[in-house]
Amino acid sequence: MSGADMENWSELIVKLGAGLWREILYILPFLMLGVLLEAIIRTFKWHVKIRKALTHFGALSIVVATLLGLVSPLCACATLPLVISLLLAGLPLAPAMSLLVTSPLMSPAGYTLLNWELGTLWANVVVVCALFMGLYAGYATHFLRRYGFTEERLFRKILPEGDFHDPDYPVVELRCDCGKQLSHRVDRCTHNKFLVFLAKFWEGLLKIGRFALIGLVIEVVASTLIPTDWLAALLSGEGIAPILTLTFATIPLHLPQVTAAAMLYGFVSPEVGEGITLAKGAGIALLIGGPVTALPVMGIFISMFRKRVLLLYLFLCVSGTLFLAFAYRWLPIGG
């Protein structure tokens, strides 16, 4: 490699690093605030207490599961094993589906980052969309009970009894390793709430920061190395094609909400990005359709559940996303 090539590569790396650092500084305050809120929730185990009570809420369980999903700090991949454990504990499929669909769409960290990156209107719209998705998934599943979607006909095979938190639980895909987490080790050694809070804050910062960083890296690299006119046109396009393209293109992607918001931020922000106007329908297609479907989730579905349950989940996610994207596109608000 010649000296000129080395110099060009050095300039490119410096340019990428400077752009990434600039965007990290912009989102850092709200990232820290969101992580702080989630650390408080996890320290006092508010979401766990509500989750354990889900099986006792009866007709209100769909609503409660949806509200729990709004404050849950879990993504789709982490929520699915939890949902399976709740099903085995007697939770009906309808509220379980509500929780599974809603949890990846909203969290305290997700809201604060959306508010900072895309604005308060977009953050509130995604909250409303997540609420709709949870209720839609729950009540649609409840309606389908009469057509065989019951708890007795969910799994491909009988799952062994036992605690998912047990390191020797035989189903590896469902085995929880939370006992190895720093916060659990701190709790076992000290039983000090403040130290546990600090540990959970660190864990959340690593997890959420990683997802945000992935989104920023993708955006910075794409905007620097790849002509982004077509993608900018897709995100700002007001027609039907951008909605359909983004909805179906994100089905196989593992695109957590924090990552999706960070990617969009680089295009929407006039300070650090393209400064485009995010189209309402396209924005919903990416922010709702992206987080709820992912290959890891579908892999567990295929291995654990009957095919009809996976098809139901995909149908609810895709149809709900399309309805919300077209509805928001046509509503005379925002934009």
Side-chain angles (χ1 to χ4, degrees):
M1 183 178 293
S2 66
D5 290 334
M6 288 291 293
E7 184 176 350
N8 290 336
W9 275 105
S10 298
E11 291 178 357
L12 177 60
I13 292 173
V14 170
K15 183 178 180 181
L16 291 172
L20 181 61
W21 179 247
R22 186 168 63 251
E23 296 198 14
I24 289 174
L25 290 180
Y26 268 95
I27 73 167
L28 188 60
F30 272 68
L31 172 65
M32 299 294 285
L33 177 59
V35 173
L36 176 68
L37 293 175
E38 291 198 0
I40 293 173
I41 291 173
R42 292 182 62 221
T43 299
F44 292 98
K45 300 181 179 180
W46 294 336
H47 63 303
V48 175
K49 295 174 183 177
I50 299 173
R51 190 173 68 213
K52 289 182 178 179
L54 264 180
T55 55
H56 306 296
F57 276 99
L60 292 176
S61 60
I62 293 175
V63 176
V64 175
T66 299
L67 296 177
L68 174 60
L70 293 179
V71 300
S72 171
L74 301 179
C75 65
C77 297
T79 303
L80 185 52
L82 163 65
V83 165
I84 293 175
S85 68
L86 290 173
L87 287 169
L88 294 177
L91 184 69
L93 179 59
M97 194 68 79
S98 293
L99 179 60
L100 182 60
V101 169
T102 309
S103 188
L105 296 177
M106 184 49 60
S107 66
Y111 182 84
T112 56
L113 285 170
L114 275 170
N115 187 77
W116 178 254
E117 293 168 336
L118 301 181
T120 303
L121 175 61
W122 269 107
N124 291 336
V125 165
V126 173
V127 170
V128 174
C129 290
L131 182 64
F132 168 84
M133 288 290 286
L135 296 176
Y136 166 60
Y139 285 108
T141 304
H142 179 72
F143 173 79
L144 291 173
R145 286 184 65 87
R146 67 190 70 180
Y147 299 103
F149 287 91
T150 60
E151 293 70 47
E152 296 78 18
R153 302 179 62 183
L154 293 180
F155 299 107
R156 293 172 60 90
K157 57 185 178 181
I158 298 176
L159 295 177
E161 296 182 359
D163 190 348
F164 288 3
H165 298 278
D166 187 342
D168 296 323
Y169 187 76
V171 183
V172 177
E173 296 90 339
L174 302 179
R175 190 185 301 161
C176 178
D177 62 351
C178 63
K180 300 178 183 178
Q181 293 177 354
L182 174 63
S183 58
H184 286 266
R185 298 201 303 269
V186 170
D187 193 18
R188 287 195 298 268
C189 295
T190 68
H191 302 293
N192 185 299
K193 283 288 186 185
F194 181 69
L195 294 179
V196 172
F197 163 76
L198 291 179
K200 289 188 180 294
F201 180 84
W202 175 248
E203 291 169 350
L205 185 62
L206 291 179
K207 181 190 73 172
I208 299 168
R210 180 176 73 248
F211 287 141
L213 183 61
I214 291 172
L216 292 179
V217 168
I218 292 173
E219 184 278 321
V220 169
V221 172
S223 61
T224 304
L225 301 180
I226 304 172
T228 56
D229 292 346
W230 66 273
L231 185 54
L234 191 65
L235 294 173
S236 60
E238 295 289 349
I240 295 177
I243 295 176
L244 295 176
T245 300
L246 289 169
T247 298
F248 289 99
T250 55
I251 288 177
L253 299 180
H254 183 38
L255 194 64
Q257 187 200 77
V258 173
T259 302
M263 289 173 56
L264 289 176
Y265 171 68
F267 287 95
V268 173
S269 171
E271 291 88 359
V272 299
E274 303 288 327
I276 69 169
T277 299
L278 180 62
K280 296 190 294 182
I284 293 298
L286 191 63
L287 291 170
I288 301 300
V292 291
T293 57
L295 280 178
V297 174
M298 288 184 276
I300 297 178
F301 258 108
I302 292 172
S303 62
M304 297 292 161
F305 291 94
R306 297 176 186 268
K307 292 180 180 178
R308 64 200 319 243
V309 182
L310 171 61
L311 293 176
L312 172 62
Y313 175 75
L314 288 176
F315 171 78
L316 293 172
C317 292
V318 173
S319 61
T321 298
L322 290 175
F323 172 80
L324 289 170
F326 285 117
Y328 188 44
R329 174 179 177 266
W330 289 320
L331 285 175
I333 57 174

